[in-house]
Amino acid sequence: MRALRILLIVVVVLAGVFIAVDRAAVYFAESEAADRVVVPGARTGSTDVSIKGFPFLTQVAGSELDEVDVKVTGIEATAAGRSLRISSMDAELHQVRLTDGFSGATAARATGTAVISYEDLTKAAADGVAVEYGGNGKVKVTGAVNILGRTLSRSVLSTVTLVDGHTVRVHADKVPGEGIPGLEGLVREKTDFEREVGTLPNGLKLERIQPTADGLEISVTGTDVRLAG
């Protein structure tokens, strides 16, 4: 009986040591991975990596991780002299294969969400134009135009669409005062615009876009997503 107790104590101690070593290895791997994950347009230090699943060491031994969650803050893109910033992107990466002596990694599949804040969307619009949530899946765009010597401020409800998987298009549904000659064109010059979204890691693509109270939410999916290496 005494020998059994000693054996159980040894097993518990070893299990505790294994868990501690496993968690320490995860922490180290997450830190290293955050430095290695390359997202074009993202500044250094803007990536957080969280490795899921237990135990971690057995996953490494098999050269495949069950799930890796990646969060990137601030991805910049510039087109036509204007930059459009993805405020944040969260992605869940599944079946992540470790390659090139653990210096590279490729995810079999990925899902996630990218968010463009209205502050960042306003910065990407024309000068003097403000963009905010308009309710019911629309955005409200406000800008001033000069016509017949007068400055008129106009607000429009606009539809936001994703074009060719990489361009955000904002287009007014209707322009107030459309009967005034030339007014609609002047207003649309201010309120309607297209901006390219930042380049994502190879294998990731943008799909659906939806205005919400917190910003433009864009669905992100991918297969064979190359993270590093």
Side-chain angles (χ1 to χ4, degrees):
M1 184 65 71
R2 185 170 179 273
L4 180 58
R5 289 197 193 98
I6 293 174
L7 179 60
L8 288 175
I9 291 172
V10 170
V11 170
V12 170
V13 170
L14 290 177
V17 171
F18 176 78
I19 291 172
V21 171
D22 191 81
R23 294 303 89 190
V26 167
Y27 179 81
F28 176 78
E30 289 174 342
S31 178
E32 286 292 305
D35 292 334
R36 290 178 179 273
V37 173
V38 178
V39 179
R43 59 181 174 79
T44 303
S46 64
T47 303
D48 289 323
V49 174
S50 178
I51 300 173
K52 306 298 183 181
F54 178 83
F56 167 70
L57 292 175
T58 57
Q59 295 181 68
V60 172
S63 297
E64 183 173 296
L65 306 179
D66 296 337
E67 180 183 333
V68 177
D69 294 349
V70 176
K71 180 172 184 176
V72 186
T73 303
I75 304 173
E76 302 277 357
T78 301
R82 293 278 178 176
S83 64
L84 177 59
R85 181 176 183 269
I86 294 179
S87 310
S88 64
M89 182 184 70
D90 294 279
E92 292 183 0
L93 312 171
H94 300 274
Q95 295 175 271
V96 180
R97 300 185 302 278
L98 305 176
T99 60
D100 305 322
F102 302 124
S103 64
T106 301
R109 56 189 177 87
T111 58
T113 302
V115 177
I116 299 174
S117 71
Y118 292 116
E119 178 183 0
D120 285 325
L121 192 58
T122 293
K123 292 177 180 177
D127 293 337
V129 170
V131 186
E132 58 187 310
Y133 186 53
N136 296 319
K138 303 286 185 178
V139 298
K140 179 182 177 182
V141 186
T142 302
V145 297
N146 294 312
I147 185 168
L148 300 177
R150 298 178 58 193
T151 300
L152 302 177
S153 180
R154 286 290 184 270
S155 294
V156 296
L157 286 178
S158 300
T159 297
V160 182
T161 54
L162 190 63
V163 182
D164 297 329
H166 57 73
T167 301
V168 173
R169 173 182 291 167
V170 179
H171 184 79
D173 296 344
K174 184 178 180 181
V175 176
E178 289 176 332
I180 301 175
L183 179 59
E184 180 177 0
L186 289 173
V187 172
R188 288 194 180 278
E189 283 181 11
K190 285 281 189 178
T191 61
D192 291 4
F193 60 93
E194 295 183 0
R195 297 289 183 267
E196 284 193 28
V197 180
T199 304
L200 300 176
N202 289 338
L204 277 183
K205 61 180 180 179
L206 305 177
E207 291 199 333
R208 297 178 302 278
I209 189 168
Q210 177 66 39
T212 71
D214 297 323
L216 303 182
E217 291 190 357
I218 309 174
S219 298
V220 179
T221 63
T223 55
D224 294 327
V225 180
R226 191 168 180 80
L227 303 175

